[in-house]
Amino acid sequence: MLESDDFRFILHLHTTSRQLYVCSELIKILGVAQLPKSIVDNKIINWSITEEQINQTYNKSRGKLTENGKKTTALSHYFQLCESFGLIISFNQIYSNSRIGNVLFNLSSINSKEGKLHQIELNFYLFQLLKIDADGLFLILDFLAEFEEINQKKLQQNFKRLLNARLLAKQPHASATVKIIINERFRAINYIWKSAEKYAEHLLIPRCEWLITIGILEQRREKSSTLYKFTEIGKEFYDKIPMITDSLKDINEDWLYSNYFSLLNNLDKKKTREDFSDFSTEKQIEELGKYLEITFSDIKSSSSFRLPVYESLLYICLKMFDVDIVINFKDIIATLELGITYKNKNYRLKNNGRLNESYIITRVI
């Protein structure tokens, strides 16, 4: 069983900010620039007006930025959502992509048609959502696992009970810091929220939509009801999530960094990928060196001689998985701790104790 290292739950959501497709477009508009909010607003509203006309999937969807060419109230909530995802940063109404947003920007140039994201983007979103919102996602999946199909109303009615149960189950296995977060969440739900069911609508519907987009859930409408159930891949995904107690599924960072891409590979029965979990050949070192070189070119950094580890490893793993190579963070870390040489450069991991404080260093030899 795993140890609990965090309570991963995005607290502020809104029913209108539910489309990952819109988030990706916002990231593409920002690109590598710093832009005033007014300019971003105009660009993405114009994009939405055009999308309504040429893209039937977007036109029929909910959570749009425009309706029949007129601006909806959704845009401000999408800005908030992208900040919650860690994709964008703002200061005095000036917006730019964060380092992790820059990773998505470099992946998002290959959107499919008809309002759908490319698989590499979906793999990015699932990874990032597990990192920052796993408890929110598993709360829904735990409940759906009890039933073949469940409607939206029943999900909302059970939200407070499910969230309380998850908080209480995680508390004994949490560190002192995480226990403080859990206690604060428990206090807010039970003593501050006036109507948990009303909050539930905003907190559940976007998450269900993300899970549908990623392919873990599917929905159908029956009269005035919206019903959800697992897809075949979604059920297998849920079954492979480890247990933190005898009755509670969860992940921690160590699991995510060690198993995520192997799990994706196990879920995809249509492809046979090369496993790079053990760097035992010169060819594999050469392949990693090639993607390190690409990453130094693509990923934003304050120095041309070092890269932030978390964003770099995610970019490398996603890019390699897209060309049918399975590799996890831990595999690259173990190799770069020893260092590798590619062309005329040496690449090595400078480990400062925490992944988000560490760097990949390069030097010419």
Side-chain angles (χ1 to χ4, degrees):
M1 293 186 186
L2 273 68
E3 292 184 2
S4 174
D5 65 348
D6 202 352
F7 188 75
R8 297 175 166 85
F9 191 89
I10 300 173
L11 192 57
H12 301 292
L13 295 174
H14 194 275
T15 55
T16 60
S17 55
R18 60 177 69 185
Q19 290 199 45
L20 299 178
Y21 184 64
V22 174
C23 294
S24 282
E25 185 60 30
L26 182 56
I27 296 308
K28 287 199 289 185
I29 285 171
L30 287 171
V32 296
Q34 294 181 332
L35 296 176
K37 185 176 182 296
S38 58
I39 291 178
V40 182
D41 284 1
N42 288 335
K43 284 178 176 289
I44 200 162
I45 292 301
N46 288 335
W47 166 83
S48 180
I49 291 170
T50 302
E51 271 311 274
E52 277 196 287
Q53 296 169 351
I54 66 173
N55 188 325
Q56 286 302 305
T57 301
Y58 181 76
N59 187 42
K60 295 176 182 178
S61 65
R62 298 185 180 183
K64 293 187 296 182
L65 301 176
T66 54
E67 188 65 52
N68 296 323
K70 295 183 179 180
K71 185 178 177 180
T72 68
T73 60
L75 182 54
S76 63
H77 300 296
Y78 275 106
F79 276 105
Q80 185 179 49
L81 178 63
C82 287
E83 289 191 87
S84 295
F85 283 171
L87 300 176
I88 64 174
I89 51 179
S90 63
F91 181 73
N92 287 341
Q93 296 290 291
I94 303 294
Y95 283 82
S96 62
N97 284 326
S98 66
R99 294 195 312 201
I100 195 68
N102 180 245
V103 171
L104 179 58
F105 171 67
N106 280 285
L107 298 171
S108 63
S109 60
I110 44 178
N111 274 347
S112 305
K113 295 180 180 180
E114 292 302 314
K116 295 180 181 178
L117 299 173
H118 190 276
Q119 189 61 49
I120 196 170
E121 292 179 87
L122 297 178
N123 293 341
F124 168 91
Y125 277 117
L126 180 55
F127 187 97
Q128 188 67 3
L129 284 169
L130 288 173
K131 182 174 172 60
I132 64 175
D133 194 52
D135 286 286
L137 300 182
F138 293 151
L139 178 148
I140 294 169
L141 300 183
D142 288 342
F143 194 48
L144 287 173
E146 299 178 29
F147 307 91
E148 183 175 339
E149 193 172 48
I150 193 165
N151 66 38
Q152 187 175 296
K153 185 176 181 180
K154 192 169 185 180
L155 263 175
Q156 289 177 225
Q157 290 171 339
N158 284 272
F159 170 73
K160 181 177 179 179
R161 176 183 66 81
L162 293 167
L163 187 50
N164 273 333
R166 189 164 192 89
L167 287 164
L168 293 174
K170 287 190 70 164
Q171 190 177 43
H173 306 275
S175 66
T177 303
V178 178
K179 281 181 179 176
I180 292 172
I181 297 171
I182 289 173
N183 290 338
E184 182 59 32
R185 293 286 185 270
F186 188 85
R187 185 180 72 86
I189 296 161
N190 294 283
Y191 301 106
I192 297 177
W193 290 5
K194 294 180 180 179
S195 173
E197 192 171 329
K198 182 178 179 181
Y199 280 105
E201 181 181 1
H202 294 291
L203 293 172
L204 290 172
I205 292 175
R207 288 182 169 97
C208 288
E209 292 290 337
W210 306 338
L211 289 166
I212 290 166
T213 300
I214 292 167
I216 291 174
L217 297 185
E218 58 186 349
Q219 72 173 18
R220 69 180 180 89
R221 303 195 189 280
E222 187 177 87
K223 297 181 180 178
S224 60
S225 295
T226 301
L227 296 103
Y228 302 101
K229 68 176 182 178
F230 280 106
T231 61
E232 185 177 338
I233 288 177
K235 185 64 171 68
E236 188 174 353
F237 164 82
Y238 178 77
D239 289 342
K240 291 181 182 298
I241 297 297
M243 307 295 290
I244 197 168
T245 71
D246 290 336
S247 60
L248 189 71
K249 285 182 174 285
D250 201 7
I251 61 156
N252 58 22
E253 279 195 352
D254 184 63
W255 181 91
L256 191 62
Y257 297 159
S258 300
N259 297 281
Y260 177 74
F261 289 94
S262 296
L263 173 56
L264 286 187
N265 185 48
N266 290 334
L267 294 176
D268 188 353
K269 304 295 193 296
K270 297 178 181 179
K271 286 191 176 182
T272 301
R273 294 181 173 87
E274 187 175 357
D275 187 355
F276 269 38
S277 59
D278 178 19
F279 282 95
S280 57
T281 70
E282 188 175 323
K283 177 189 173 184
Q284 290 174 331
I285 296 295
E286 184 87 1
E287 196 71 18
L288 177 60
K290 181 177 77 175
Y291 280 95
L292 280 165
E293 186 177 59
I294 292 169
T295 302
F296 264 87
S297 172
D298 291 349
I299 297 302
K300 187 188 301 183
S301 177
S302 59
S303 168
S304 59
F305 298 102
R306 70 177 191 178
L307 286 176
V309 168
Y310 171 73
E311 292 82 2
S312 301
L313 296 188
L314 181 56
Y315 191 59
I316 291 168
C317 290
L318 286 164
K319 294 278 282 186
M320 294 180 80
F321 192 82
D322 196 47
V323 294
D324 300 333
I325 297 171
V326 183
I327 188 169
N328 290 292
F329 279 32
K330 69 176 179 64
D331 307 319
I332 302 177
I333 289 170
T335 302
L336 289 182
E337 283 179 339
L338 300 174
I340 69 166
T341 299
Y342 176 72
K343 293 183 179 178
N344 65 333
K345 290 183 179 179
N346 178 263
Y347 297 91
R348 184 178 296 273
L349 176 68
K350 184 178 181 182
N351 195 331
N352 292 331
R354 294 173 60 88
L355 203 63
N356 61 356
E357 297 171 356
S358 301
Y359 293 91
I360 298 172
I361 307 294
T362 185
R363 64 182 180 87
V364 177
I365 57 174

